[in-house]
Amino acid sequence: MENILVCLAWPYANGDAHVGHIAGAYLPADIFARYQRLTGNRVVVVSGSDSHGTPIVVSAEKQGKTPRALFEHFHARFLQTWIKLGISYDLYTHTDTENHHAIAQQMFTRLNDNGQLFLAKQKQVYSEKQQKFLPDRFVEGTCPICAYDKARGDQCDNCGNLLEAVQLINPRNRNLADDVLSIRESEHYMWDLPQVGPAIGEYLADKDSYWRPQVLNFARNFAKDLNPRAFTRDLTWGIPIPVPNSEGKCIYVWWEAVLGYLTATIEWAKLNGTPEAWKDFWYAPDNVKIYNFIGKDNILFHTVLWQGILLGMKHLGDEAAPRPGDNPTFNLPYDVPANQYVNLNGQKFSKSLGVSVEALELAEKYGADPVRFYLTQIMPEQRDADWSFEGFTQANNSELLAKWGNLAQRTLSQIFKNFDGAIPIPGALTEADQALLTASRAAFAAVGESLNAVRLREALTLAMELAGKANYYIDQQAPWKIIKVDKARAGTQLYVAAQVIDHLSVLLSPFVPDLCEAVRRQLGYAKPLFGRLFTETVHERTRDHEVLRYDAREADGHWVASQLAAGQKLGGEPRGLVTKIEVAKELPKT
RNA sequence: UGCGGGAUAGAGCAGUGGUAGCUCGUCAGGCUCAUAACCUGAAGGUCGUUGGUUCGAAUCCAACUCCCGCGACCA
């Protein structure tokens, strides 16, 4: 048994999740996690909402809300989305918990104590009207290189040169026309990233055999030339640094957001009543694999910088330190299977341009499985993919329904009508029977291998191939004909088909869990393959927060070719499980 | 401009030296248990362009074209 920690990107609680997010990170992680659970590994899936940072403050101001009210709104929407789509988190929390704040402050202290941080004065553009330092992006002015008058504080779109906001001539506030800007000095903690550079290089050195090349190349390239990076920010909405007389200085949002993987595992352990259990993932020397599922925009942070933080901290102190026998330092991610993007009509998803397909809305309208199925088919594992409602309809009607749904329906309804609603008792098996059963058993190894290597599209294709073989078998055997002359033989044929359906209900379950659970109920199974998601309010000293958790007590799924019991009663009259989509058209814009 | 990824039948993809494959769609046929679902067959590609290496290249090398992303305080 292995301990598998599945870490998902922390969505920024500033808007709803769209299908690009789902296909990019959440769905692949869930498919992978469900598979690992079925194999009997101990799996923990953690993530949460990223709740700090300037964009949330700006949005909140616009809507006349507090930042907390704003992110809590989107956090609640995320929880609904995950439940609706069946993204099975063991813990989905957020970054504004006391637990996260305390550990983030520990991170600061650890890095500082380990000599990773140093103080430096930085010149920054200050807004006199808003009484705060402006993010570089919010500053606009004349480019000192090409004289373009709408250069941004980080880059000039005209000449492409990278800039610093303080270099701009006649700087102005993009969001406040009559603002008065000045240049002020601010003292910040810098992270001396080059210190951990060699260790990061070593970490990346042995990943060739299983990391995706685009991820590895990108990371190595970046790791070659590391510079110190600011560790603190002047923020009003963030985690204050634990240093006296440093009001307004917060930990730069990115650093504490990635730390969420660790803090959420710790919170998970606490909620489970096993407060040390997180160390089995982060410190244990053997049988551990940490996976980070992200989109390609996050590669840098999850392949280089997050590792740098873990290396720089070494471990947490006091009761959070490694146990005897543990590694003296944090375990680093085993794999970072980053996906490319899903686009819509070739365009990047963009809320402001109205280019978006909201995941929650879609799942509410069509159910989770059609969405999961199609998104797996187009999953951008190698390159950008394109979402289309036409493709979605086709995938649902021509493959999910026609191949898998119909296979179960045609087989089980024949059994129900002609064999008293119970799995027939098979007679001697023919060569054709054996051949199909052999292929069916072999699929567990083949599909499992692809899933284990996070080649999910390939895994789905392999599983669906078996459904095709089963349909072919039924066509060739024609039990509806045979039954008129030899009922026992027809019973054997239907038994073989039902046996393959039983196998498929496991093979396909990581991808389309609801449908597979329903097929298994029709086959007469009482226990579900997977556990159940539920929300819970966690009480801390000063504030509560809503989390999503996973209850695995009822789960009885196993990644093995089980033997279907002859005589097992079906769960009632079979009825179609996949709904045909007549007209899938664009959802109304919200 | 720099770095990374990509360009293979109408669509989506697989294929890292040896006669171009898969799924969907299209067309034709078969079957009728099944949600007009299932099965079979066919049509459809000079593998982005140009040049090179090789007996032989989608596959290796070079140059070029186009698309996507990243380029640090933006999460």
Short mmCIF file of all heavy atoms in Angstrom, two decimals, chain B residues 28-49:
data_model
loop_
_atom_site.label_atom_id
_atom_site.label_comp_id
_atom_site.label_asym_id
_atom_site.label_seq_id
_atom_site.Cartn_x
_atom_site.Cartn_y
_atom_site.Cartn_z
P A B 28 -26.47 6.20 -48.09
OP1 A B 28 -27.52 6.39 -49.11
OP2 A B 28 -26.79 6.35 -46.65
"O5'" A B 28 -25.81 4.75 -48.30
"C5'" A B 28 -25.57 4.27 -49.61
"C4'" A B 28 -24.92 2.92 -49.54
"O4'" A B 28 -23.66 3.02 -48.82
"C3'" A B 28 -25.68 1.85 -48.77
"O3'" A B 28 -26.72 1.25 -49.50
"C2'" A B 28 -24.57 0.86 -48.45
"O2'" A B 28 -24.21 0.10 -49.58
"C1'" A B 28 -23.42 1.82 -48.11
N9 A B 28 -23.41 2.11 -46.67
C8 A B 28 -23.88 3.23 -46.02
N7 A B 28 -23.73 3.18 -44.71
C5 A B 28 -23.14 1.95 -44.50
C6 A B 28 -22.71 1.29 -43.33
N6 A B 28 -22.84 1.80 -42.11
N1 A B 28 -22.15 0.07 -43.45
C2 A B 28 -22.01 -0.45 -44.68
N3 A B 28 -22.37 0.06 -45.87
C4 A B 28 -22.92 1.28 -45.70
P G B 29 -27.98 0.63 -48.71
OP1 G B 29 -28.95 0.21 -49.75
OP2 G B 29 -28.39 1.59 -47.67
"O5'" G B 29 -27.40 -0.66 -47.99
"C5'" G B 29 -27.11 -1.82 -48.76
"C4'" G B 29 -26.35 -2.82 -47.92
"O4'" G B 29 -25.25 -2.16 -47.26
"C3'" G B 29 -27.10 -3.47 -46.78
"O3'" G B 29 -27.98 -4.50 -47.18
"C2'" G B 29 -25.94 -4.00 -45.94
"O2'" G B 29 -25.36 -5.16 -46.53
"C1'" G B 29 -24.96 -2.83 -46.04
N9 G B 29 -25.17 -1.91 -44.91
C8 G B 29 -25.75 -0.66 -44.94
N7 G B 29 -25.80 -0.10 -43.76
C5 G B 29 -25.24 -1.04 -42.92
C6 G B 29 -25.02 -1.01 -41.51
O6 G B 29 -25.31 -0.12 -40.72
N1 G B 29 -24.41 -2.18 -41.06
C2 G B 29 -24.07 -3.25 -41.84
N2 G B 29 -23.50 -4.27 -41.22
N3 G B 29 -24.26 -3.28 -43.15
C4 G B 29 -24.84 -2.16 -43.61
P G B 30 -29.24 -4.88 -46.22
OP1 G B 30 -30.01 -5.91 -46.95
OP2 G B 30 -29.89 -3.63 -45.78
"O5'" G B 30 -28.58 -5.56 -44.94
"C5'" G B 30 -27.92 -6.82 -45.06
"C4'" G B 30 -27.35 -7.23 -43.73
"O4'" G B 30 -26.47 -6.18 -43.25
"C3'" G B 30 -28.36 -7.38 -42.60
"O3'" G B 30 -29.02 -8.63 -42.63
"C2'" G B 30 -27.46 -7.26 -41.37
"O2'" G B 30 -26.73 -8.44 -41.12
"C1'" G B 30 -26.50 -6.15 -41.82
N9 G B 30 -26.97 -4.84 -41.38
C8 G B 30 -27.54 -3.84 -42.15
N7 G B 30 -27.86 -2.78 -41.45
C5 G B 30 -27.47 -3.09 -40.15
C6 G B 30 -27.57 -2.33 -38.96
O6 G B 30 -28.03 -1.19 -38.80
N1 G B 30 -27.07 -3.04 -37.86
C2 G B 30 -26.54 -4.31 -37.93
N2 G B 30 -26.10 -4.82 -36.77
N3 G B 30 -26.44 -5.02 -39.04
C4 G B 30 -26.92 -4.35 -40.09
P C B 31 -30.51 -8.76 -42.03
OP1 C B 31 -30.94 -10.16 -42.25
OP2 C B 31 -31.31 -7.64 -42.54
"O5'" C B 31 -30.30 -8.54 -40.47
"C5'" C B 31 -29.65 -9.53 -39.69
"C4'" C B 31 -29.50 -9.03 -38.28
"O4'" C B 31 -28.81 -7.74 -38.30
"C3'" C B 31 -30.80 -8.72 -37.56
"O3'" C B 31 -31.36 -9.89 -36.97
"C2'" C B 31 -30.32 -7.73 -36.49
"O2'" C B 31 -29.70 -8.38 -35.41
"C1'" C B 31 -29.28 -6.92 -37.26
N1 C B 31 -29.84 -5.68 -37.87
C2 C B 31 -30.07 -4.60 -37.03
O2 C B 31 -29.81 -4.70 -35.82
N3 C B 31 -30.57 -3.45 -37.55
C4 C B 31 -30.83 -3.38 -38.86
N4 C B 31 -31.32 -2.24 -39.34
C5 C B 31 -30.61 -4.49 -39.74
C6 C B 31 -30.12 -5.61 -39.20
P U B 32 -32.90 -10.09 -36.96
OP1 U B 32 -33.17 -11.48 -36.58
OP2 U B 32 -33.47 -9.51 -38.20
"O5'" U B 32 -33.34 -9.16 -35.77
"C5'" U B 32 -32.81 -9.34 -34.45
"C4'" U B 32 -33.14 -8.08 -33.68
"O4'" U B 32 -32.79 -6.97 -34.49
"C3'" U B 32 -34.63 -7.97 -33.36
"O3'" U B 32 -34.71 -8.34 -32.00
"C2'" U B 32 -34.97 -6.49 -33.61
"O2'" U B 32 -35.15 -5.76 -32.43
"C1'" U B 32 -33.71 -5.93 -34.31
N1 U B 32 -33.89 -5.27 -35.60
C2 U B 32 -33.94 -3.88 -35.59
O2 U B 32 -33.90 -3.23 -34.57
N3 U B 32 -34.03 -3.30 -36.84
C4 U B 32 -34.07 -3.95 -38.05
O4 U B 32 -34.12 -3.30 -39.08
C5 U B 32 -34.04 -5.37 -37.96
C6 U B 32 -33.95 -5.97 -36.77
P C B 33 -36.01 -8.33 -31.10
OP1 C B 33 -36.52 -9.69 -30.94
OP2 C B 33 -36.95 -7.24 -31.50
"O5'" C B 33 -35.28 -7.84 -29.78
"C5'" C B 33 -35.50 -8.50 -28.54
"C4'" C B 33 -34.43 -8.06 -27.59
"O4'" C B 33 -33.14 -8.52 -28.04
"C3'" C B 33 -34.27 -6.56 -27.49
"O3'" C B 33 -35.23 -6.04 -26.60
"C2'" C B 33 -32.86 -6.45 -26.92
"O2'" C B 33 -32.86 -6.64 -25.53
"C1'" C B 33 -32.14 -7.62 -27.60
N1 C B 33 -31.29 -7.23 -28.74
C2 C B 33 -29.97 -6.86 -28.48
O2 C B 33 -29.57 -6.84 -27.31
N3 C B 33 -29.17 -6.53 -29.50
C4 C B 33 -29.65 -6.56 -30.74
N4 C B 33 -28.80 -6.22 -31.73
C5 C B 33 -30.99 -6.92 -31.03
C6 C B 33 -31.77 -7.25 -30.00
P A B 34 -35.95 -4.70 -26.89
OP1 A B 34 -37.04 -4.55 -25.91
OP2 A B 34 -36.23 -4.59 -28.34
"O5'" A B 34 -34.82 -3.64 -26.53
"C5'" A B 34 -34.38 -3.48 -25.18
"C4'" A B 34 -33.14 -2.61 -25.19
"O4'" A B 34 -32.12 -3.27 -25.95
"C3'" A B 34 -33.34 -1.26 -25.87
"O3'" A B 34 -33.74 -0.30 -24.92
"C2'" A B 34 -31.95 -0.95 -26.41
"O2'" A B 34 -31.15 -0.31 -25.46
"C1'" A B 34 -31.38 -2.34 -26.69
N9 A B 34 -31.47 -2.70 -28.11
C8 A B 34 -32.58 -3.03 -28.83
N7 A B 34 -32.33 -3.31 -30.09
C5 A B 34 -30.96 -3.16 -30.20
C6 A B 34 -30.06 -3.30 -31.28
N6 A B 34 -30.45 -3.66 -32.50
N1 A B 34 -28.76 -3.06 -31.04
C2 A B 34 -28.39 -2.71 -29.80
N3 A B 34 -29.13 -2.54 -28.71
C4 A B 34 -30.41 -2.78 -28.98
P U B 35 -35.09 0.52 -25.15
OP1 U B 35 -35.71 0.70 -23.84
OP2 U B 35 -35.83 -0.06 -26.29
"O5'" U B 35 -34.48 1.92 -25.62
"C5'" U B 35 -35.35 2.91 -26.22
"C4'" U B 35 -34.47 4.08 -26.51
"O4'" U B 35 -33.94 4.52 -25.26
"C3'" U B 35 -33.25 3.71 -27.36
"O3'" U B 35 -33.46 3.98 -28.74
"C2'" U B 35 -32.10 4.54 -26.79
"O2'" U B 35 -31.76 5.65 -27.62
"C1'" U B 35 -32.69 5.11 -25.51
N1 U B 35 -31.85 4.97 -24.31
C2 U B 35 -31.11 6.10 -23.97
O2 U B 35 -31.11 7.09 -24.67
N3 U B 35 -30.38 5.98 -22.83
C4 U B 35 -30.33 4.89 -21.99
O4 U B 35 -29.66 4.94 -20.98
C5 U B 35 -31.12 3.77 -22.41
C6 U B 35 -31.84 3.85 -23.54
P A B 36 -34.35 4.60 -29.70
OP1 A B 36 -35.11 5.72 -29.21
OP2 A B 36 -35.01 3.46 -30.34
"O5'" A B 36 -33.24 5.18 -30.72
"C5'" A B 36 -32.10 4.40 -31.05
"C4'" A B 36 -31.91 4.50 -32.54
"O4'" A B 36 -33.18 4.24 -33.17
"C3'" A B 36 -31.50 5.88 -33.04
"O3'" A B 36 -30.13 5.80 -33.33
"C2'" A B 36 -32.26 6.07 -34.34
"O2'" A B 36 -31.40 6.09 -35.48
"C1'" A B 36 -33.13 4.82 -34.44
N9 A B 36 -34.48 5.01 -34.89
C8 A B 36 -35.62 5.26 -34.19
N7 A B 36 -36.71 5.34 -34.92
C5 A B 36 -36.23 5.13 -36.20
C6 A B 36 -36.86 5.10 -37.44
N6 A B 36 -38.17 5.26 -37.59
N1 A B 36 -36.10 4.90 -38.53
C2 A B 36 -34.80 4.72 -38.37
N3 A B 36 -34.07 4.71 -37.26
C4 A B 36 -34.87 4.93 -36.21
P A B 37 -29.16 6.90 -32.76
OP1 A B 37 -29.88 8.05 -32.20
OP2 A B 37 -28.13 7.10 -33.82
"O5'" A B 37 -28.46 6.13 -31.56
"C5'" A B 37 -27.80 4.95 -31.80
"C4'" A B 37 -27.77 4.14 -30.53
"O4'" A B 37 -29.10 3.67 -30.23
"C3'" A B 37 -26.93 2.88 -30.67
"O3'" A B 37 -25.57 3.15 -30.36
"C2'" A B 37 -27.59 1.95 -29.67
"O2'" A B 37 -27.19 2.29 -28.36
"C1'" A B 37 -29.06 2.30 -29.86
N9 A B 37 -29.67 1.53 -30.94
C8 A B 37 -29.23 1.36 -32.23
N7 A B 37 -30.00 0.62 -32.97
C5 A B 37 -31.03 0.27 -32.12
C6 A B 37 -32.17 -0.50 -32.30
N6 A B 37 -32.48 -1.08 -33.45
N1 A B 37 -32.99 -0.66 -31.25
C2 A B 37 -32.67 -0.07 -30.09
N3 A B 37 -31.62 0.71 -29.80
C4 A B 37 -30.84 0.84 -30.86
P C B 38 -24.45 2.77 -31.36
OP1 C B 38 -23.18 3.24 -30.79
OP2 C B 38 -24.84 3.19 -32.73
"O5'" C B 38 -24.49 1.18 -31.33
"C5'" C B 38 -24.26 0.48 -30.11
"C4'" C B 38 -24.29 -1.00 -30.39
"O4'" C B 38 -25.64 -1.37 -30.81
"C3'" C B 38 -23.41 -1.44 -31.55
"O3'" C B 38 -22.08 -1.67 -31.11
"C2'" C B 38 -24.10 -2.71 -32.00
"O2'" C B 38 -23.84 -3.78 -31.14
"C1'" C B 38 -25.57 -2.30 -31.87
N1 C B 38 -26.08 -1.64 -33.09
C2 C B 38 -26.29 -2.39 -34.25
O2 C B 38 -26.05 -3.60 -34.24
N3 C B 38 -26.76 -1.77 -35.37
C4 C B 38 -27.01 -0.46 -35.35
N4 C B 38 -27.47 0.11 -36.46
C5 C B 38 -26.80 0.33 -34.19
C6 C B 38 -26.33 -0.29 -33.09
P C B 39 -20.88 -1.38 -32.10
OP1 C B 39 -19.63 -1.57 -31.33
OP2 C B 39 -21.14 -0.10 -32.79
"O5'" C B 39 -20.97 -2.54 -33.18
"C5'" C B 39 -20.75 -3.90 -32.80
"C4'" C B 39 -20.94 -4.80 -33.99
"O4'" C B 39 -22.32 -4.70 -34.46
"C3'" C B 39 -20.13 -4.41 -35.22
"O3'" C B 39 -18.81 -4.91 -35.16
"C2'" C B 39 -20.93 -5.06 -36.34
"O2'" C B 39 -20.72 -6.46 -36.38
"C1'" C B 39 -22.36 -4.78 -35.87
N1 C B 39 -22.90 -3.52 -36.40
C2 C B 39 -23.29 -3.47 -37.74
O2 C B 39 -23.16 -4.47 -38.44
N3 C B 39 -23.80 -2.31 -38.23
C4 C B 39 -23.92 -1.24 -37.44
N4 C B 39 -24.43 -0.13 -37.98
C5 C B 39 -23.51 -1.26 -36.08
C6 C B 39 -23.01 -2.42 -35.60
P U B 40 -17.64 -4.20 -35.97
OP1 U B 40 -16.39 -4.88 -35.60
OP2 U B 40 -17.79 -2.74 -35.79
"O5'" U B 40 -17.98 -4.53 -37.48
"C5'" U B 40 -17.91 -5.88 -37.95
"C4'" U B 40 -18.28 -5.94 -39.41
"O4'" U B 40 -19.66 -5.49 -39.58
"C3'" U B 40 -17.49 -5.01 -40.31
"O3'" U B 40 -16.25 -5.58 -40.67
"C2'" U B 40 -18.42 -4.89 -41.52
"O2'" U B 40 -18.37 -6.02 -42.33
"C1'" U B 40 -19.79 -4.83 -40.83
N1 U B 40 -20.24 -3.45 -40.58
C2 U B 40 -20.76 -2.75 -41.66
O2 U B 40 -20.82 -3.22 -42.78
N3 U B 40 -21.18 -1.48 -41.38
C4 U B 40 -21.14 -0.84 -40.15
O4 U B 40 -21.56 0.30 -40.05
C5 U B 40 -20.59 -1.63 -39.10
C6 U B 40 -20.17 -2.88 -39.34
P G B 41 -15.01 -4.63 -41.02
OP1 G B 41 -13.84 -5.50 -41.21
OP2 G B 41 -14.97 -3.54 -40.03
"O5'" G B 41 -15.43 -4.00 -42.42
"C5'" G B 41 -15.42 -4.81 -43.60
"C4'" G B 41 -16.04 -4.05 -44.73
"O4'" G B 41 -17.37 -3.62 -44.36
"C3'" G B 41 -15.35 -2.75 -45.13
"O3'" G B 41 -14.22 -2.96 -45.95
"C2'" G B 41 -16.47 -2.04 -45.90
"O2'" G B 41 -16.62 -2.57 -47.19
"C1'" G B 41 -17.69 -2.42 -45.04
N9 G B 41 -17.99 -1.37 -44.06
C8 G B 41 -17.77 -1.40 -42.71
N7 G B 41 -18.16 -0.31 -42.11
C5 G B 41 -18.65 0.50 -43.13
C6 G B 41 -19.21 1.80 -43.09
O6 G B 41 -19.38 2.54 -42.12
N1 G B 41 -19.57 2.24 -44.37
C2 G B 41 -19.42 1.51 -45.51
N2 G B 41 -19.83 2.10 -46.64
N3 G B 41 -18.91 0.30 -45.56
C4 G B 41 -18.55 -0.15 -44.34
P A B 42 -13.10 -1.85 -46.06
OP1 A B 42 -11.99 -2.39 -46.89
OP2 A B 42 -12.82 -1.33 -44.69
"O5'" A B 42 -13.83 -0.69 -46.87
"C5'" A B 42 -14.17 -0.89 -48.24
"C4'" A B 42 -14.88 0.34 -48.77
"O4'" A B 42 -16.05 0.62 -47.96
"C3'" A B 42 -14.07 1.63 -48.68
"O3'" A B 42 -13.20 1.76 -49.79
"C2'" A B 42 -15.16 2.69 -48.70
"O2'" A B 42 -15.66 2.91 -50.00
"C1'" A B 42 -16.26 2.02 -47.87
N9 A B 42 -16.22 2.41 -46.45
C8 A B 42 -15.73 1.69 -45.40
N7 A B 42 -15.85 2.29 -44.24
C5 A B 42 -16.45 3.49 -44.55
C6 A B 42 -16.86 4.59 -43.76
N6 A B 42 -16.70 4.64 -42.44
N1 A B 42 -17.43 5.64 -44.40
C2 A B 42 -17.59 5.59 -45.72
N3 A B 42 -17.26 4.61 -46.57
C4 A B 42 -16.69 3.58 -45.92
P A B 43 -11.89 2.65 -49.66
OP1 A B 43 -11.01 2.35 -50.82
OP2 A B 43 -11.36 2.52 -48.28
"O5'" A B 43 -12.45 4.13 -49.84
"C5'" A B 43 -13.09 4.51 -51.06
"C4'" A B 43 -13.78 5.83 -50.86
"O4'" A B 43 -14.74 5.71 -49.77
"C3'" A B 43 -12.86 6.96 -50.41
"O3'" A B 43 -12.22 7.57 -51.51
"C2'" A B 43 -13.83 7.91 -49.71
"O2'" A B 43 -14.55 8.69 -50.64
"C1'" A B 43 -14.79 6.92 -49.04
N9 A B 43 -14.42 6.64 -47.65
C8 A B 43 -13.69 5.59 -47.16
N7 A B 43 -13.54 5.59 -45.86
C5 A B 43 -14.21 6.73 -45.46
C6 A B 43 -14.44 7.31 -44.20
N6 A B 43 -13.97 6.80 -43.06
N1 A B 43 -15.15 8.45 -44.15
C2 A B 43 -15.61 8.97 -45.30
N3 A B 43 -15.48 8.52 -46.54
C4 A B 43 -14.77 7.39 -46.56
P G B 44 -10.70 7.96 -51.42
OP1 G B 44 -10.32 8.60 -52.70
OP2 G B 44 -9.94 6.79 -50.92
"O5'" G B 44 -10.70 9.07 -50.29
"C5'" G B 44 -11.31 10.34 -50.51
"C4'" G B 44 -11.31 11.12 -49.22
"O4'" G B 44 -12.09 10.41 -48.24
"C3'" G B 44 -9.94 11.26 -48.58
"O3'" G B 44 -9.22 12.36 -49.13
"C2'" G B 44 -10.29 11.49 -47.12
"O2'" G B 44 -10.67 12.83 -46.89
"C1'" G B 44 -11.53 10.59 -46.95
N9 G B 44 -11.16 9.27 -46.42
C8 G B 44 -10.70 8.18 -47.12
N7 G B 44 -10.45 7.15 -46.37
C5 G B 44 -10.75 7.58 -45.09
C6 G B 44 -10.67 6.91 -43.84
O6 G B 44 -10.31 5.75 -43.62
N1 G B 44 -11.07 7.73 -42.80
C2 G B 44 -11.50 9.02 -42.91
N2 G B 44 -11.84 9.64 -41.80
N3 G B 44 -11.58 9.66 -44.07
C4 G B 44 -11.19 8.90 -45.09
P G B 45 -7.80 12.14 -49.72
OP1 G B 45 -7.61 13.19 -50.73
OP2 G B 45 -7.63 10.71 -50.05
"O5'" G B 45 -6.83 12.45 -48.50
"C5'" G B 45 -6.94 13.69 -47.79
"C4'" G B 45 -5.83 13.79 -46.81
"O4'" G B 45 -5.91 12.69 -45.89
"C3'" G B 45 -4.42 13.66 -47.41
"O3'" G B 45 -3.97 14.91 -47.86
"C2'" G B 45 -3.59 13.19 -46.21
"O2'" G B 45 -3.11 14.29 -45.47
"C1'" G B 45 -4.62 12.46 -45.35
N9 G B 45 -4.41 11.01 -45.24
C8 G B 45 -4.24 10.09 -46.21
N7 G B 45 -4.09 8.87 -45.75
C5 G B 45 -4.16 9.02 -44.38
C6 G B 45 -4.06 8.06 -43.33
O6 G B 45 -3.89 6.85 -43.41
N1 G B 45 -4.19 8.67 -42.08
C2 G B 45 -4.39 10.01 -41.87
N2 G B 45 -4.49 10.39 -40.60
N3 G B 45 -4.49 10.91 -42.83
C4 G B 45 -4.36 10.34 -44.04
P U B 46 -3.23 15.03 -49.24
OP1 U B 46 -3.35 16.40 -49.75
OP2 U B 46 -3.79 13.89 -50.02
"O5'" U B 46 -1.70 14.77 -48.93
"C5'" U B 46 -1.22 13.46 -48.65
"C4'" U B 46 0.18 13.35 -49.17
"O4'" U B 46 0.21 13.78 -50.54
"C3'" U B 46 1.20 14.26 -48.49
"O3'" U B 46 1.68 13.74 -47.27
"C2'" U B 46 2.30 14.34 -49.55
"O2'" U B 46 3.08 13.17 -49.56
"C1'" U B 46 1.45 14.40 -50.82
N1 U B 46 1.20 15.81 -51.20
C2 U B 46 1.71 16.25 -52.40
O2 U B 46 2.33 15.52 -53.14
N3 U B 46 1.45 17.57 -52.68
C4 U B 46 0.76 18.47 -51.91
O4 U B 46 0.61 19.62 -52.30
C5 U B 46 0.26 17.94 -50.67
C6 U B 46 0.49 16.66 -50.37
P C B 47 2.59 14.63 -46.35
OP1 C B 47 2.95 15.91 -46.98
OP2 C B 47 3.64 13.75 -45.82
"O5'" C B 47 1.46 14.89 -45.26
"C5'" C B 47 1.45 16.04 -44.42
"C4'" C B 47 1.28 15.59 -43.00
"O4'" C B 47 1.15 14.16 -42.99
"C3'" C B 47 2.45 15.93 -42.08
"O3'" C B 47 1.96 16.97 -41.24
"C2'" C B 47 2.74 14.68 -41.29
"O2'" C B 47 2.52 14.88 -39.91
"C1'" C B 47 1.69 13.68 -41.80
N1 C B 47 2.13 12.30 -42.06
C2 C B 47 2.11 11.41 -40.97
O2 C B 47 1.82 11.85 -39.86
N3 C B 47 2.42 10.12 -41.19
C4 C B 47 2.72 9.70 -42.41
N4 C B 47 2.98 8.41 -42.57
C5 C B 47 2.75 10.58 -43.53
C6 C B 47 2.45 11.87 -43.31
P G B 48 2.95 18.01 -40.57
OP1 G B 48 4.36 17.63 -40.62
OP2 G B 48 2.26 18.25 -39.28
"O5'" G B 48 2.75 19.29 -41.49
"C5'" G B 48 1.45 19.73 -41.85
"C4'" G B 48 1.54 21.15 -42.31
"O4'" G B 48 1.79 22.00 -41.16
"C3'" G B 48 2.71 21.43 -43.24
"O3'" G B 48 2.39 21.12 -44.58
"C2'" G B 48 2.93 22.93 -43.02
"O2'" G B 48 1.97 23.68 -43.72
"C1'" G B 48 2.66 23.04 -41.52
N9 G B 48 3.88 22.91 -40.72
C8 G B 48 4.14 21.98 -39.74
N7 G B 48 5.33 22.11 -39.20
C5 G B 48 5.88 23.20 -39.86
C6 G B 48 7.14 23.82 -39.71
O6 G B 48 8.05 23.52 -38.93
N1 G B 48 7.30 24.91 -40.57
C2 G B 48 6.36 25.32 -41.47
N2 G B 48 6.69 26.37 -42.22
N3 G B 48 5.18 24.75 -41.63
C4 G B 48 5.00 23.70 -40.80
P U B 49 3.50 20.45 -45.53
OP1 U B 49 2.81 19.95 -46.74
OP2 U B 49 4.33 19.53 -44.71
"O5'" U B 49 4.39 21.70 -45.93
"C5'" U B 49 3.83 22.82 -46.60
"C4'" U B 49 4.89 23.86 -46.82
"O4'" U B 49 5.28 24.42 -45.54
"C3'" U B 49 6.20 23.34 -47.40
"O3'" U B 49 6.13 23.20 -48.81
"C2'" U B 49 7.19 24.41 -46.96
"O2'" U B 49 7.11 25.56 -47.77
"C1'" U B 49 6.66 24.74 -45.56
N1 U B 49 7.34 23.96 -44.50
C2 U B 49 8.60 24.37 -44.12
O2 U B 49 9.16 25.32 -44.64
N3 U B 49 9.17 23.62 -43.13
C4 U B 49 8.63 22.53 -42.49
O4 U B 49 9.28 21.97 -41.61
C5 U B 49 7.33 22.16 -42.94
C6 U B 49 6.74 22.87 -43.92
#
